[in-house]
Amino acid sequence: MGYNNVDVIVSGPNKPSSQYKTVVLKGNLPFASQVTEPNVKYVVKYDFDLDGGTVTIPEGCLLEFDGGSIDKGTITGQNTSIVGSQKHIFKKDIKIAGTWNIGYISTDFFEDLSQENALDNLEALNNSNEKTTVYIGSGDYYYNLATTPVFQAGFTVKSNTEYIFNGNIHLINNNHGYYGIFELLNVYNVYIHGNGTIIGDKDENTNNTESGHAFRVRNCSNITIEGFTISKCIGDGVYFNGGSNLIAKHCNISYCGRQGISVVDGYYICIEYCDISHIYAPYGSSAMWGIDIEPNHSKETKYIWIKGCNIHDTNKGICCTHASNSLIHNIFITDNVVDVEHIALFCDINTFDITVANNTFKAYSKKEYETLGYATGIQNKGKNNLIENHIFCDVFNFVSSSEKKGVYSKNDIHALYCTFENCVSISENIFYMSCGETDNDLISCRSSIFINNTIIVEKGNNYRTGYVINSQNSNAVVLYNTIMDSTYSSAFGNVY
């Protein structure tokens, strides 16, 4: 066991069990009348009914369960530990409160967790701030969040904890607009993993805030989320807002209402081997990116790795875009497969030092000739580099405002049209250019260096009048390129 490869030390009682004074509780007397001294080990051999009352355990006690259980009331710990048998020690109508010192917490402690918000009892046992393991077994668990205050949390994650989650979380709809089904706020050293599922309320929720997330992670550090299947949240599957050393991996995210994974603030963030799909209308909003790096106003987002993800059956792929006075830089996008309808990759003008390597990007519109025009496969407006990618798209667009930016090398590009402007170098690429429905130039090159590329033009049925490479009226350098199977009327525009 461990989180972020650090061993978890399971904490136990405040001192060895043998050093406690021991009291064996009698089955014919009320529980509360027998649990009266601090720093005592109370042995629970019988089933106790609290009769709707509240029992506060004296400070520093140890409850050792030996076949017994507690039901029908509230039990309040005061730095209380639990040892012994841990199967169904709490019955259906129990409420947990107070402070507890338990190194291993399990849903097996509870006989029945089928009622709404029943996992609140499990959360209540984890408050020692020691390294703790929480196990959520298979089964269905339901959250019904309150309508006030505005921001609501389902399962509140604690620091220094490994969560092993193998159950199914269902969010009951109440049209709430701002929630985190799993809420991580100002916590650290958390490893939450398993084969669990999280199912949101988007099918019924009519709220259009787009701010209900499966995992809402804010101002945290050393967090790993792994292995979840997430669907139907009105916002994002995973939402990172602030902090460092944040990881989401091996998650399956679909049918969310805004985006698969969003990063709005933070650094040293890794998103790897996630499968993201169906983030688009009629299931989604105008955002609809699989992964979106989108720092808020005056924020800086840096050192982010997106690796080995599969984004498919959705509208848009990976986006790096900024708000005013914010920065995005040192982003590494590698070994992903992005197969979408509209934009596979977008990097706006204020992005820099983004490395895009060894990915496969596909972006072919299913409505190719609608009034909005062709789908756009790739748009890069920042000072970023694309190396050794496989690209299949309608339009390949690398245009920055003035300063020469970007190196594009050793990619194979299948496209209808390509535009390069203010690029440092376009070299050693293979372009497979399809003849579109109009006589546009296949490759437009302005104020860029276009050298040692191979352009293969598919033979079309119609006589073409555009250029294969058009560098007319621009400060471009076009040298040592090879063109094959051209069906255009001339192989080059004003190249030299």
Side-chain angles (χ1 to χ4, degrees):
M1 295 185 298
Y3 44 89
N4 296 349
N5 298 318
V6 177
D7 289 337
V8 174
I9 301 172
V10 178
S11 62
N14 296 321
K15 56 186 177 181
S17 176
S18 59
Q19 294 183 14
Y20 282 82
K21 173 185 175 181
T22 300
V23 174
V24 179
L25 300 180
K26 298 178 180 179
N28 60 346
L29 295 176
F31 183 88
S33 67
Q34 302 180 77
V35 181
T36 57
E37 297 181 59
N39 301 310
V40 171
K41 177 173 71 174
Y42 293 101
V43 180
V44 184
K45 291 178 171 287
Y46 304 98
D47 297 328
F48 288 95
D49 186 335
L50 303 184
D51 198 25
T54 297
V55 175
T56 299
I57 307 297
E59 176 70 29
C61 289
L62 173 65
L63 298 181
E64 180 177 305
F65 285 86
D66 184 15
S69 66
I70 303 172
D71 194 13
K72 292 184 172 60
T74 299
I75 183 167
T76 302
Q78 294 189 85
N79 197 27
T80 306
S81 300
I82 293 175
V83 297
S85 172
Q86 297 176 345
K87 186 73 170 178
H88 298 170
I89 58 178
F90 298 119
K91 300 299 184 180
K92 180 178 181 179
D93 296 319
I94 195 72
K95 181 177 180 180
I96 308 296
T99 59
W100 300 80
N101 179 26
I102 306 173
Y104 178 83
I105 302 167
S106 172
T107 50
D108 289 340
F109 289 8
F110 299 89
E111 182 181 56
D112 187 349
L113 292 171
S114 62
Q115 62 270 37
E116 295 177 5
N117 305 325
L119 289 180
D120 289 352
N121 273 333
L122 195 78
E123 294 179 59
L125 290 172
N126 182 21
N127 48 35
S128 69
N129 206 35
E130 298 291 335
K131 292 181 179 179
T132 303
T133 299
V134 177
Y135 175 78
I136 298 95
S138 61
D140 295 297
Y141 307 97
Y142 298 86
Y143 273 108
N144 190 349
L145 305 182
T147 55
T148 57
V150 173
F151 292 97
Q152 283 293 313
F155 194 100
T156 302
V157 173
K158 310 291 177 58
S159 293
N160 294 319
T161 302
E162 177 188 20
Y163 293 87
I164 304 169
F165 195 98
N166 294 325
N168 308 310
I169 291 280
H170 303 265
L171 181 63
I172 297 172
N173 176 49
N174 61 7
N175 284 329
H176 205 290
Y178 299 89
Y179 61 75
I181 299 177
F182 278 78
E183 178 76 359
L184 291 82
L185 176 62
N186 299 324
V187 297
Y188 50 88
N189 297 342
V190 173
Y191 180 26
I192 180 167
H193 63 106
N195 58 14
T197 65
I198 303 172
I199 303 169
D201 61 347
K202 184 168 65 64
D203 286 347
E204 298 85 21
N205 195 327
T206 59
N207 199 307
N208 62 359
T209 62
E210 303 174 8
S211 296
H213 314 303
F215 285 92
R216 184 167 61 184
V217 183
R218 297 179 288 164
N219 301 318
C220 298
S221 63
N222 299 328
I223 307 296
T224 297
I225 299 165
E226 180 179 4
F228 282 83
T229 297
I230 299 166
S231 66
K232 299 183 179 181
C233 293
I234 64 171
D236 305 330
V238 178
Y239 173 82
F240 289 131
N241 186 356
S244 64
N245 298 317
L246 311 174
I247 300 172
K249 62 181 180 179
H250 295 293
C251 291
N252 189 314
I253 302 171
S254 63
Y255 294 99
C256 287
R258 185 173 181 269
Q259 283 158 174
I261 298 175
S262 291
V263 179
V264 301
D265 187 18
Y267 58 98
Y268 295 113
I269 297 171
C270 183
I271 301 166
E272 59 182 8
Y273 306 111
C274 292
D275 187 284
I276 301 173
S277 67
H278 300 95
I279 314 293
Y280 64 93
Y283 307 104
S285 73
S286 60
M288 298 183 292
W289 292 97
I291 299 173
D292 191 5
I293 313 301
E294 48 168 356
N296 288 330
H297 176 75
S298 299
K299 297 293 185 179
E300 182 178 18
T301 301
K302 60 184 178 180
Y303 297 108
I304 297 176
W305 288 261
I306 301 172
K307 180 179 180 180
C309 293
N310 184 15
I311 303 173
H312 59 96
D313 294 302
T314 191
N315 191 278
K316 294 179 282 189
I318 298 173
C319 179
C320 298
T321 187
H322 78 295
S324 60
N325 299 316
S326 64
L327 293 174
I328 302 174
H329 62 94
N330 292 101
I331 312 297
F332 305 90
I333 302 171
T334 62
D335 304 299
N336 303 282
V337 176
V338 180
D339 186 352
V340 296
E341 292 183 16
H342 190 197
I343 304 176
L345 173 68
F346 178 82
C347 302
D348 78 10
I349 198 168
N350 285 329
T351 61
F352 59 96
D353 290 336
I354 296 181
T355 298
V356 184
N358 200 35
N359 303 279
T360 297
F361 294 111
K362 296 182 181 181
Y364 287 115
S365 175
K366 294 181 179 179
K367 298 180 179 179
E368 192 169 85
Y369 305 113
E370 64 185 7
T371 57
L372 294 178
Y374 290 107
T376 300
I378 306 288
Q379 291 189 46
N380 178 34
K381 300 181 179 181
K383 189 177 180 180
N384 309 308
N385 304 318
L386 274 76
I387 302 170
E388 296 185 350
N389 299 284
H390 308 284
I391 299 168
F392 304 81
C393 61
D394 293 338
V395 179
F396 187 75
N397 190 1
F398 293 88
V399 179
S400 59
S401 57
S402 57
E403 178 188 358
K404 280 187 169 57
K405 302 175 180 179
V407 173
Y408 313 103
S409 178
K410 299 181 181 179
N411 303 284
D412 61 83
I413 302 165
H414 303 248
L416 294 175
Y417 313 116
C418 294
T419 299
F420 296 97
E421 183 172 344
N422 296 318
C423 298
V424 173
S425 174
I426 307 110
S427 66
E428 300 182 75
N429 302 283
I430 301 177
F431 293 86
Y432 299 86
M433 304 304 298
S434 301
C435 295
E437 293 298 306
T438 64
D439 289 331
N440 290 349
D441 304 316
L442 294 186
I443 299 174
S444 177
C445 186
R446 298 185 294 272
S447 299
S448 300
I449 299 174
F450 192 91
I451 187 169
N452 286 330
N453 299 284
T454 299
I455 302 98
I456 301 172
V457 183
E458 294 184 358
K459 293 182 178 180
N461 296 324
N462 300 320
Y463 182 75
R464 315 304 299 171
T465 60
Y467 292 112
V468 175
I469 305 172
N470 189 342
S471 62
Q472 296 184 56
N473 303 316
S474 77
N475 184 25
V477 177
V478 181
L479 294 171
Y480 309 123
N481 300 286
T482 301
I483 296 177
M484 303 172 60
D485 296 330
S486 174
T487 60
Y488 271 41
S489 58
S490 67
F492 293 97
N494 186 15
V495 174
Y496 300 107

